[in-house]
Each structure stands twice: as C-alpha cells, then as structure tokens.
C-alpha cells in the first residue's frame, strides 16, 4: 500500500485537537454538469444504493445520470443564493461559530468542515487538520439521527483516509444526538419562535429524510431515532396527541420507503379539512434542497392545491445560537479527557526541540 507523505513536522510544536463537522454534500453550481458530477459520486456510494453493482451501474450511467442532472439543476437554481449553495453556506457558518463558542469556553481546538460528497472533501480537510498539528480529531456529523447511508458513509470515508496515512491521529466519532436535550430544546425554541410570530397551526408535521423500508428490517436504527426525536419535540412543545405527526420525504425509485410519506400525508390532511399545517424538518441541521425546494415549494403547492388554506415552513436550526450552544455542549462531552485547555508553552517547546536535535533531528 502506498502511503501519503506526512506533513512537515517540527519538534516541540503543540499537539492540537481538531473537530471535523461533516455534512452530506452539494453540487458546486446549479448546472447539469455540476449535478452530473455530484450525483455520480453520491449515487455510486454502496451505502446509499444497496444494489449489486452489475445491476445498478447500467441504470445509473445509462439512464439516471443522463436524465436527472438537468431536472435537479433546475430545482437547485430556485434555491441558490449569491453566496452559493445554502447547505454549504450554513455548514461553513456553523463550523466557524462552533470554533468561536468553544474558544470562548477556553478550548484550544481547530474546527473545519467537509462534505461527504463534493467539496470540500473529507480527505482534504483531514489533511488540513493534520498539517495544522492536530493529533486528536473528533468526527462530528451534521446528522442527529444515525443512518448507515449518511453517518456510516461519512465514517467510511474517514477510515479510507486513515488507511492511506502512516501516522493516524487519535479519532473519536459521534454516532448520533437524536435525543440530546440541547438539540431538542433548540428545535422546540425554533418552533415556539415561529408560533409567537405567526400563530399556531392545526397540525405540526415533522418531516425526516426517507430511507428504503427494508433498512429498518435490516437493523438500521434511523426510523426509531426519527420517531424518538419527534416524540421528544412534541413533548417539549406540550402538544396533545394527534396534533403532531412524523413523516418521511425524498423517496427515490419504486421500492417501498419508510412511511407515512410527507407529501401524500399533507394532501390527505387538506382533504380532511385541516386548514393550516406547519412543517419542520428536525433531521436537517441546515436548510438545503430537501427543505427549501422539496418542502417549502413542492409540498406547499401540493397541500394548497388539495384545499389547504395556509402552509408554513419552519426553517432549520442553521446558525441559531441556542442550537450552536447545544452543539458546543455536545462537542465538549465528546472531547472529554483530551487536553484542549492546555496553552502552548514556548519554553517547553524549545526544550523539546533541543532534545530532538541532540538525538539527530533536523527540525
């Protein structure tokens, strides 16, 4: 196996702790070419599409990548901002604010962000953390609910990177935080703030990203963790039974996916005479194509066309300060035991360099 060259090392340099904040990914531009590259990487991941490659490859390269990029590019164009992809904008901002909050608490850590698909790539950002002197790295996914297709896929990429490095940093992984008290409190505060300004709905729909139904039977905890998040959020909001419902969006293909499905549920609610619904997407910590286009545009149109009178989309946590404080709390718990509060001691570093030179080191 060929190992990547190690970054230059200076004896006595302080050993730092790093955090890598990982989100799913986004195309670089709302164009068919950019979508073809992005979807090619995303849909080639066996964690995402669990079909034999001999069966899936002709479908992916012969049909999907020739048809879907243009349609997806048009959808991305409706949510694109002057700063770029909303997911990228929010993820970068969250990483910077997380580092600032941890710094205010006295932690000397370096926080970088990466995308599982697209740029900045996980391997590139891990290399950057190593070059910055990080010998301990906390892997922190932006997915509150564990899922093999998201969380485990990000971990796979970290281990692929580690497998090609001679000096592997000490690594820790955060699997999930679907029932974290701070995360639930931040979600509840987000919903309450919306209601304080716009009034309350007849139903609150909590829409999570969908997965094939078979993943539940195969042992993936995602379905259960989504329902627990939904239950805890409903309890925090003190909602009576039946006023909140958990649904699943973003189906792909003809197979049965986790149910109930979001858009058909909204249509049925409208047909039953429900005049106003509010939709929140607790599984997404940053607004993206699935929330801004699929929910706030497509699902809104479906509900209103079916007879609903008012549809409110409640934005994701994004750069909400309560959420970021909860994220800093979570990071602190997982950093426990690592010397993140130790300041750099120039005298001790120089003594280390002198001892190393005495043993023949040149740096």
């Amino acid at each position: 196996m060929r190992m990547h060259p190690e970054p230059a090392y200076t004896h006595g340099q302080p050993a730092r702790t790093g955090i890598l904040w990982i989100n799913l990914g986004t195309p670089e531009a709302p164009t068919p070419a950019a979508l073809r590259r992005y979807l090619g990487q995303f849909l080639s991941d066996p964690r995402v599409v669990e079909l034999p490659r001999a069966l899936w490859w002709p479908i992916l390269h012969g049909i999907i990548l020739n048809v879907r990029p243009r349609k997806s590019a048009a959808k991305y164009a409706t949510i694109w901002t002057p700063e770029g992809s909303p997911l990228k904008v929010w993820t970068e901002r969250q990483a910077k604010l997380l580092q600032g909050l941890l710094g205010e608490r006295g932690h000397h850590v370096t926080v970088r962000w990466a995308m599982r698909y697209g740029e900045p790539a996980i391997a590139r950002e891990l290399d950057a953390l190593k070059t910055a002197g990080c010998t301990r790295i906390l892997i922190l996914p932006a997915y509150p609910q564990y899922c093999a297709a998201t969380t485990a896929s990000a971990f796979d990429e970290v281990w692929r990177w580690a497998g090609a490095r001679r000096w592997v940093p000490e690594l820790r992984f955060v699997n999930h935080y679907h029932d974290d008290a701070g995360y639930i409190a931040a979600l509840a505060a987000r919903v309450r703030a919306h209601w304080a300004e716009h009034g309350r709905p007849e139903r609150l729909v909590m829409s999570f990203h969908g997965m094939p139904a078979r993943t539940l039977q195969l042992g993936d905890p995602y379905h259960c963790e989504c329902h627990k998040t939904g239950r805890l959020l409903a309890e925090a909001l003190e909602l009576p039974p039946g006023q909140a419902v958990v649904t699943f969006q973003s189906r792909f293909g003809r197979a049965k996916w986790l149910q109930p499905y979001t858009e058909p549920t909204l249509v049925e609610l409208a047909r039953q005479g429900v005049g106003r619904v509010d939709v929140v997407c607790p599984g997404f910590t940053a607004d993206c194509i699935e929330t801004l286009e699929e929910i706030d545009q497509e699902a809104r149109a479906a509900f209103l066309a079916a007879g609903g009178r008012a549809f409110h989309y409640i934005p994701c946590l994004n750069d909400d300060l309560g959420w970021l404080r909860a994220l800093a709390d979570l990071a602190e718990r997982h950093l426990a035991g690592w010397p993140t509060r130790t300041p750099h001691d120039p005298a001790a570093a120089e003594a280390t360099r002198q001892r190393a030179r005495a043993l023949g080191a040149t740096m």
Side-chain angles (χ1 to χ4, degrees):
M1 178 187 296
R2 166 170 277 185
M3 299 287 179
H4 282 245
E6 289 293 315
Y9 178 75
T10 301
H11 287 279
Q13 70 183 38
R16 295 189 61 85
T17 295
I19 298 176
L20 187 62
W21 175 238
I22 300 176
N23 218 323
L24 187 76
T26 179
E28 288 297 302
T31 64
L35 263 297
R36 190 171 293 110
R37 289 192 298 273
Y38 172 71
L39 291 173
Q41 184 186 12
F42 175 54
L43 296 175
S44 296
D45 187 345
R47 289 279 196 182
V48 174
V49 181
E50 297 184 48
L51 290 175
R53 182 160 291 197
L55 174 64
W56 175 239
W57 234 233
I59 299 172
L60 175 61
H61 293 278
I63 301 174
I64 294 174
L65 293 182
N66 290 319
V67 175
R68 194 168 176 185
R70 188 171 298 279
K71 294 179 180 179
S72 295
K75 292 182 177 183
Y76 269 98
T78 67
I79 66 157
W80 214 257
T81 74
E83 298 172 279
S85 163
L87 183 68
K88 197 172 219 177
V89 170
W90 290 123
T91 303
E92 181 179 15
R93 193 170 300 173
Q94 288 167 341
K96 289 179 178 177
L97 291 171
L98 177 59
Q99 174 150 348
L101 286 170
L102 290 171
E104 289 176 2
R105 299 180 186 188
H107 295 285
H108 301 275
V109 296
T110 300
V111 181
R112 296 189 70 91
W113 60 283
M115 296 294 186
R116 171 62 185 89
Y117 313 103
E119 296 294 337
I122 289 174
R124 191 185 88 179
E125 296 308 306
L126 287 169
D127 279 338
L129 286 170
K130 272 200 70 174
T131 299
C134 293
T135 59
R136 299 169 297 267
I137 300 175
L138 176 66
I139 306 300
L140 180 54
Y143 324 123
Q145 296 77 26
Y146 177 95
C147 182
T150 54
T151 316
S153 178
F155 294 173
D156 288 345
E157 194 66 12
V158 173
W159 286 119
R160 267 190 287 273
W161 170 85
R165 268 69 186 174
R166 186 174 302 280
W167 187 353
V168 178
E170 188 175 353
L171 297 169
R172 290 182 183 174
F173 297 83
V174 178
N175 273 37
H176 54 190
Y177 42 97
H178 64 290
D179 56 357
D180 176 76
Y183 159 67
I184 297 296
L187 287 172
R190 189 69 144 178
V191 175
R192 286 195 205 96
H194 185 87
W195 289 351
E197 183 177 355
H198 302 284
R200 297 170 72 98
E202 295 166 61
R203 295 288 189 281
L204 176 66
V205 175
M206 306 176 193
S207 182
F208 293 84
H209 198 286
M211 285 298 297
R214 66 190 291 267
T215 59
L216 175 60
Q217 282 71 47
L218 291 172
D220 200 305
Y222 178 72
H223 176 266
C224 301
E225 294 191 358
C226 290
H227 274 281
K228 187 170 185 181
T229 296
R231 174 175 61 80
L232 293 174
L233 177 55
E235 290 174 357
L237 293 169
E238 300 180 328
L239 296 178
Q243 193 169 344
V245 58
V246 168
T247 64
F248 295 90
Q249 63 182 87
S250 309
R251 284 179 287 161
F252 178 76
R254 297 181 180 179
K256 180 180 178 182
W257 281 49
L258 296 176
Q259 296 187 35
Y261 302 139
T262 298
E263 189 171 306
T265 297
L266 290 166
V267 169
E268 181 59 27
L269 288 172
R271 288 173 178 168
Q272 290 173 4
V274 174
R276 171 179 162 181
V277 296
D278 286 7
V279 182
V280 64
C281 298
F284 299 90
T285 53
D287 273 310
C288 55
I289 187 75
E290 286 86 359
T291 65
L292 299 174
E293 194 279 333
E294 184 178 354
I295 296 299
D296 200 21
Q297 295 181 31
E298 292 185 3
R300 173 191 294 276
F303 177 74
L304 297 177
R309 295 190 302 275
F311 180 103
H312 288 231
Y313 168 64
I314 301 175
C316 290
L317 293 169
N318 296 328
D319 61 353
D320 176 80
L321 187 56
W323 148 241
L324 289 163
R325 285 173 176 159
L327 187 62
D329 292 342
L330 179 74
E332 278 191 304
R333 292 197 297 273
H334 286 272
L335 291 169
W338 280 351
T340 61
R341 296 181 183 275
T342 305
H344 178 51
D345 185 340
E350 181 58 29
T352 298
R353 282 192 287 272
Q354 294 300 331
R355 286 193 294 270
R357 290 192 186 101
L359 292 171
T362 58
M363 299 183 69

